[in-house]
């Protein structure tokens, strides 16, 4: 008889909760749908509570108890993953630290910061991912990242946010030499770009590009105009926009870290004194 551990059931529950669909969860877990249903049923019996309300064959809704279990089980599964990796790595005891960083910070500030982190924490295995601010917040909430650095004041009940430093935005390029180059709506700079276009009553077509480096590369070729960080402008002609176009970078983390080393990394990032303007 197969014995299903509580961790396996919680992993199944996590995927069902996130997909809100038993069939989709089965596909992601590479198991049959009856297996997923059995795991959830056993978990409900062990907890003596209903986790999902079935609305027909496909649709399900999470109960308040499921919301609570999801938040707590993320911590448990995260702790187990860190412990498992530490044990597997034996005497090295390298502790993983997954950091998600939004585009401007990743290109123009992260390299020096990462060198400092690597020197200060040789026993930590850093993994870095560059994604936009909204995706960083979501990944930290879902325990897919340990720390995040974002370019807009996003918040969530399960995440703590700390200001790092400010960033000057400027109008770069030539509006006559091509379209306005605009980041995607979930990026940190989109709000400022949208506000500028509205303030100036600009109705011309825009070209949406979900990558800051590509925008800068186009600007360097004399194509179009955009609002970018002064750190990214370099030799590109630009115009100052004033204090209302100064934004903040933020560090985000979960209130409860699995290891004291993650807390130490977060403190190092907050206290780092080498953020150039």
């Amino acid at each position: 008889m197969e014995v299903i551990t509580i961790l396996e059931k919680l992993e199944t529950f996590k995927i069902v909760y996130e997909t809100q669909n038993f069939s989709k969860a089965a596909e992601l877990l590479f198991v049959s749908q009856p297996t997923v249903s059995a795991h959830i049923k056993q978990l409900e019996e062990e907890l003596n509570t209903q986790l999902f309300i079935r609305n027909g064959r496909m649709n399900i809704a999470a109960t308040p108890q499921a919301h609570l279990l999801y938040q707590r089980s993320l911590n448990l599964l995260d702790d187990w993953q860190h412990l498992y990796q530490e044990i597997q790595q034996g005497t090295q005891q390298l502790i993983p630290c997954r950091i998600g960083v939004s585009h401007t910070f990743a290109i123009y500030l992260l390299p020096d910061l990462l060198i400092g982190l690597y020197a200060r924490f040789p026993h930590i295995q850093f993994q870095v991912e560059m994604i936009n601010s909204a995706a960083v917040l979501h990944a930290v909430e879902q325990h897919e990242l340990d720390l995040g650095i974002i370019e807009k004041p996003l918040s969530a009940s399960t995440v703590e946010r700390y200001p790092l430093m400010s960033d000057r935005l400027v109008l770069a390029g030539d509006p006559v030499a091509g379209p306005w180059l605009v980041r995607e709506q979930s990026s940190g700079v989109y709000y400022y770009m949208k506000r500028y276009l509205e303030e100036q009553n600009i109705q011309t077509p825009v070209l949406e590009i979900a990558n800051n480096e590509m925008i800068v590369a186009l600007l360097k070729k004399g194509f179009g105009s955009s609002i970018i960080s002064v750190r990214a402008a370099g030799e590109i002609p630009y115009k100052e926009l004033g204090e209302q176009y100064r934004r903040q970078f933020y560090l985000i983390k979960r209130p409860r870290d699995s290891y004291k080393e993650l807390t130490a990394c977060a403190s190092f990032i907050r206290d780092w004194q080498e953020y150039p303007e």
Side-chain angles (χ1 to χ4, degrees):
M1 179 180 177
E2 183 182 10
V3 177
I4 307 300
T5 68
I6 186 64
L7 287 171
E8 290 176 297
K9 295 171 191 173
L10 287 175
E11 184 63 37
T12 299
F13 163 77
K14 174 180 178 291
I15 302 301
V16 171
Y17 181 94
E18 292 174 350
T19 61
Q20 298 289 289
N21 187 291
F22 279 71
S23 297
K24 184 62 175 177
E27 292 177 12
L28 294 174
L29 292 166
F30 300 101
V31 297
S32 67
Q33 183 174 331
T35 298
V36 171
S37 299
H39 286 189
I40 298 301
K41 181 180 180 181
Q42 291 173 26
L43 194 57
E44 289 179 325
E45 290 175 350
E46 291 172 7
L47 296 173
N48 193 28
T49 191
Q50 186 176 12
L51 296 173
F52 298 103
I53 300 172
R54 282 73 168 175
N55 299 319
R57 293 185 59 190
M58 299 297 294
N59 298 324
I60 62 172
T63 64
Q65 292 83 358
H67 295 316
L68 175 61
L69 179 61
Y70 179 73
Q71 291 301 327
R72 300 293 178 85
S73 63
L74 283 178
N75 290 331
L76 179 60
L77 291 169
D78 204 35
D79 285 348
W80 169 251
Q81 184 63 26
H82 278 87
L83 178 59
Y84 178 84
Q85 291 177 342
E86 184 175 331
I87 291 173
Q88 292 300 307
Q89 288 163 346
T91 57
Q92 293 183 6
Q93 295 186 342
L94 292 176
I95 296 177
C97 179
R98 304 158 298 179
I99 305 176
V101 188
S102 52
H103 289 238
T104 299
F105 194 100
I107 298 301
Y108 302 102
L109 291 167
L110 183 62
D112 287 336
L113 174 59
L114 195 57
I115 291 170
L117 283 168
Y118 188 82
R120 175 65 179 80
F121 303 101
H123 55 294
I124 292 182
Q125 182 178 21
F126 292 100
Q127 303 168 27
V128 179
E129 184 174 357
M130 184 174 72
I131 47 180
N132 67 39
S133 296
V136 172
L137 176 66
H138 178 74
V140 172
E141 282 190 286
Q142 301 301 311
H143 290 232
E144 295 166 0
L145 294 171
D146 298 303
L147 302 172
I149 299 176
I150 57 177
E151 301 168 14
K152 58 193 300 190
L154 301 174
S155 61
S157 59
T158 56
V159 169
E160 295 177 344
R161 188 184 73 206
Y162 305 93
L164 294 179
M165 88 293 293
S166 64
D167 183 47
R168 241 167 62 235
L169 296 173
V170 296
L171 174 58
D174 182 3
V176 179
W180 289 89
L181 310 176
V182 181
R183 287 288 305 280
E184 73 281 10
Q185 292 189 23
S186 55
S187 74
V189 77
Y190 174 81
Y191 162 79
Y192 295 94
M193 188 75 193
K194 181 174 180 291
R195 185 173 77 176
Y196 181 83
L197 294 177
E198 290 174 350
E199 288 174 350
Q200 303 299 317
N201 195 28
I202 296 172
Q203 305 294 329
T204 55
V206 300
L207 177 58
E208 182 177 309
I209 301 176
N211 184 285
N212 200 60
E213 291 175 275
M214 191 179 299
I215 289 176
V216 171
L218 288 169
L219 293 174
K220 287 180 178 178
K221 290 181 178 294
F223 179 81
S225 58
S226 187
I227 291 178
I228 62 174
S229 168
V230 70
R231 294 177 166 94
E235 300 301 318
I236 301 170
Y238 66 84
K239 171 186 173 183
E240 295 284 355
L241 294 173
E243 286 299 311
Q244 68 269 32
Y245 284 86
R246 182 180 288 271
R247 63 178 176 174
Q248 193 83 19
F249 290 127
Y250 300 92
L251 169 71
I252 57 174
K253 62 183 286 292
R254 292 183 298 277
R256 174 184 173 276
D257 287 322
S258 302
Y259 287 90
K260 64 181 184 297
E261 286 83 356
L262 296 182
T263 300
C265 282
S267 297
F268 182 91
I269 293 172
R270 290 173 62 187
D271 297 337
W272 193 50
Q273 298 300 314
E274 298 180 28
Y275 293 113
E277 172 66 1

